[in-house]
Amino acid sequence: MTISAPSGDRAVHVPMLIGGSETEAASGRVLPVLNPATGRRIATVPAGDAEDVDRAVRAARDAFDDGPWPRLSIQDRARILNRIADHIEDRLDELFRLETENNGRPVIETRAQLTRVPEWYRYFAALALAQRTEVIPMQGPYLNYLERFPLGVCGILPPFNHPLLIVTRSLAAALATGNCVVVKPSELTPLTTLELARIASDAGVPDGVVNVVTGYGPEAGAALAGHELVAKVSFTGGTEVGKAVAAAAAGRLARSTTELGGKAPLIVFPDAGIERAVAGAAFASFVAAGQTCICGSRILVERSIYDEFATAFCATAERIRIGDPADERTQLGPVISSRQQQRVLAYAETGVADGARLAVGGGRPGLDPPLDQGFFVEPGVLVDVDNDARVAQEEIFGPLAVLVAFEGEEDAIAKANAVRFGLGSSVWTRDVARAHRVAGRIEAGMVWVNDHHRIDPASPWGGVKDSGVGRENGWESFDEFAHIRSVMVRTADDHVDWYGDEAPERLN
């Protein structure tokens, strides 16, 4: 079934995909999918629960035990992964418009992001083909080599903010290594994930290899994380839920990769150039309406240029065009839900109550119907923020930036690291030595220099501290979706007779 991007008040119903068949929740319940720009229902999907997750996991396990996917040659799996990439490219226009309507990101952002999604399937197909057997130089007359083999059933729990890209990061690696998969997408943004499963089937992925169960996190998500037959869980989302997912996996000695919250510092030194730094900081703060785990909205600026930077940054924030995400001219869309809208507005008030000044925005914009019912928040800027304030320490997940002054390099590093998160960060300077020096002391999984929020399928992605464990992308992710088997072959002509007349001098 092809999902057409719905419009107006007409809502389509999109079934789940289990074992290659479209199916409804065992309970018969459905959940609504809203367009956050209008608050209107655009689709319904099944409200799956533990019973549906169990069906999907067992279908995936059957496909793993009895189906062809794990036993296909690397060359055949790579060909299918490349066909997935081709099919996505053929349907990009449909996909980015559907995702824009489902998660509210401006179409110019969604198009720019989704055009890169095929790269992940091609990259992991290439990694599969590039594998070489490793030989261990052990002592004695032995040949010791390593083999990699798939884990089994992998569960993927992606978030609402980048539905197609984030599910792809795990799915491409899991498929390339021969695993079968169950995905539980965010209940807020399931539509492009459901369509991706159908694309995979059209590209030649056998039935049961990719399954999608829609439903609420505490029901379907928790059931997937805790299922006894799931060998690995990949989760992207909030820190507290991520800890619960990791604990559920650890309880049965399953693997988990968690990319969790963030409060990325963006450090601006005087030699960075005001215009360049302001443009970079605005992108880091407001892209995706600030709903990214590496949102660079904690902007640390050296005192000597603080006022000049703040003035220019606020002017840029005021110029951002808010409106219909489907309009090519729109630069900022809504946040994902009414609940998130209220959360961001409350943080703006909290910042002021804690002594900061709300220099720009931070309220609801006045938009014409039907956008007046959408979940929009004006891009806001809090200035003169103390680094210990809640708005500087807690993840807001919305278009609200905070500006903090620092006195020099040591103070900048100390303030950057004085937070419980450690996912992304960026350093803005023209001093090459300083760039490397500061980057080497930032407690984060990723540091960008004179840029922010850049990603590549070959570059490991993940955090430290409360930002999670493990990495997506690169060889790091590829290897985490496989077991290693050590094969040891005795090559000597004679045999070992430990209980003969003369015992060997050593066990070799």
Side-chain angles (χ1 to χ4, degrees):
M1 172 184 174
T2 299
I3 305 169
S4 299
S7 60
D9 294 314
R10 180 175 59 84
V12 298
H13 179 73
V14 188
M16 302 185 293
L17 194 69
I18 297 177
S21 300
E22 294 180 344
T23 184
E24 301 302 325
S27 68
R29 294 185 301 143
V30 299
L31 62 88
V33 181
L34 305 183
N35 180 343
T38 63
R40 293 177 177 174
R41 187 176 67 172
I42 57 173
T44 57
V45 296
D49 56 21
E51 183 176 351
D52 303 295
V53 167
D54 184 65
R55 279 196 294 148
V57 171
R58 294 187 185 281
R61 186 69 215 191
D62 288 345
F64 184 79
D65 289 338
D66 304 323
W69 187 250
R71 283 158 284 281
L72 279 181
S73 70
I74 292 172
Q75 290 77 12
D76 286 341
R77 278 207 304 268
R79 273 191 283 271
I80 292 174
L81 285 169
N82 280 308
R83 281 205 294 271
I84 294 174
D86 293 341
H87 285 220
I88 291 171
E89 286 182 336
D90 289 343
R91 297 175 57 186
L92 269 175
D93 188 74
E94 171 193 348
L95 289 169
F96 69 67
R97 294 187 187 282
L98 179 62
E99 188 150 298
T100 285
E101 189 155 14
N102 195 175
N103 76 350
R105 289 189 68 175
V107 72
I108 57 170
E109 287 185 17
T110 308
R111 181 192 295 116
Q113 184 176 86
L114 265 56
T115 54
R116 298 206 58 202
V117 166
E119 295 177 30
W120 268 258
Y121 296 95
R122 295 194 174 111
Y123 173 76
F124 281 107
L127 283 195
L129 293 170
Q131 289 183 95
R132 290 185 176 182
T133 300
E134 298 171 48
V135 176
I136 308 300
M138 66 172 293
Q139 297 182 48
Y142 294 95
L143 171 65
N144 184 197
Y145 61 90
L146 305 183
E147 293 180 333
R148 286 174 173 79
F149 60 103
L151 304 177
V153 179
C154 298
I156 303 176
L157 296 160
F160 70 81
N161 53 345
H162 311 298
L164 200 57
L165 175 62
I166 291 181
V167 73
T168 283
R169 289 192 326 217
S170 294
L171 180 62
L175 293 180
T177 45
N179 296 284
C180 296
V181 174
V182 178
V183 182
K184 204 300 285 184
S186 167
E187 59 267 30
L188 300 172
T189 56
L191 299 183
T192 49
T193 300
L194 286 163
E195 188 63 5
L196 177 61
R198 290 163 172 86
I199 287 173
S201 178
D202 293 343
V205 175
D207 291 348
V209 174
V210 178
N211 307 271
V212 180
V213 177
T214 52
Y216 295 104
E219 298 174 359
L224 182 58
H227 199 287
E228 62 182 356
L229 295 181
V230 172
K232 175 179 168 115
V233 182
S234 294
F235 172 81
T236 302
T239 296
E240 298 312 312
V241 176
K243 289 178 179 179
V245 167
R252 61 180 187 279
L253 300 180
R255 299 185 185 186
S256 64
T257 297
T258 54
E259 188 220 301
L260 309 177
K263 193 68 177 177
L266 190 150
I267 306 172
V268 182
F269 289 100
D271 64 342
I274 294 293
E275 183 178 356
R276 184 206 311 195
V278 164
F283 173 79
S285 299
F286 302 127
V287 69
Q291 298 172 116
T292 68
C293 293
I294 47 79
C295 176
S297 61
R298 185 165 62 109
I299 306 169
L300 311 179
V301 185
E302 189 157 312
R303 180 78 65 185
S304 62
I305 60 165
Y306 183 88
D307 291 341
E308 183 183 2
F309 179 94
T311 299
F313 184 76
C314 289
T316 296
E318 286 183 308
R319 290 195 300 268
I320 293 174
R321 294 189 296 273
I322 309 171
D324 182 358
D327 188 329
E328 298 277 349
R329 297 167 296 178
T330 296
Q331 296 174 318
L332 186 80
V335 295
I336 193 62
S337 65
S338 175
R339 178 183 178 183
Q340 188 61 22
Q341 180 190 49
Q342 295 306 312
R343 172 184 169 90
V344 179
L345 296 174
Y347 265 111
E349 295 177 358
T350 296
V352 172
D354 287 344
R357 179 170 62 88
L358 185 61
V360 169
R364 295 186 58 174
L367 298 173
D368 295 331
L371 301 180
D372 62 329
Q373 299 302 306
F375 313 129
F376 291 88
V377 178
E378 297 170 320
V381 183
L382 286 163
V383 299
D384 302 331
V385 177
D386 188 285
N387 197 54
D388 294 327
R390 283 185 58 197
V391 289
Q393 291 290 312
E394 299 176 9
E395 186 173 38
I396 297 172
F397 232 63
L400 182 63
V402 301
L403 270 59
V404 177
F406 67 84
E407 302 298 340
E409 187 174 309
E410 289 298 320
D411 189 38
I413 294 167
K415 285 178 174 173
N417 291 335
V419 68
R420 68 188 182 106
F421 300 107
L423 187 58
S425 59
S426 60
V427 180
W428 295 77
T429 178
R430 287 191 175 96
D431 185 329
V432 175
R434 171 188 279 161
H436 289 290
R437 191 168 60 241
V438 174
R441 295 180 61 190
I442 299 297
E443 296 170 356
M446 296 162 291
V447 182
W448 295 279
V449 176
N450 296 328
D451 209 334
H452 199 92
H453 199 169
R454 299 300 169 185
I455 187 170
D456 189 89
S459 181
W461 181 283
V464 300
K465 299 195 285 191
D466 274 9
S467 289
V469 176
R471 294 294 182 269
E472 303 282 5
N473 302 339
W475 282 107
E476 289 77 6
S477 177
F478 185 86
D479 287 342
E480 276 297 303
F481 280 98
H483 292 299
I484 292 179
R485 177 190 294 121
S486 175
V487 180
M488 197 174 297
V489 180
R490 182 173 173 83
T491 59
D493 287 337
D494 62 341
H495 65 282
V496 176
D497 186 3
W498 184 257
Y499 297 105
D501 293 335
E502 295 184 13
E505 293 181 2
R506 53 181 291 167
L507 287 172
N508 62 356

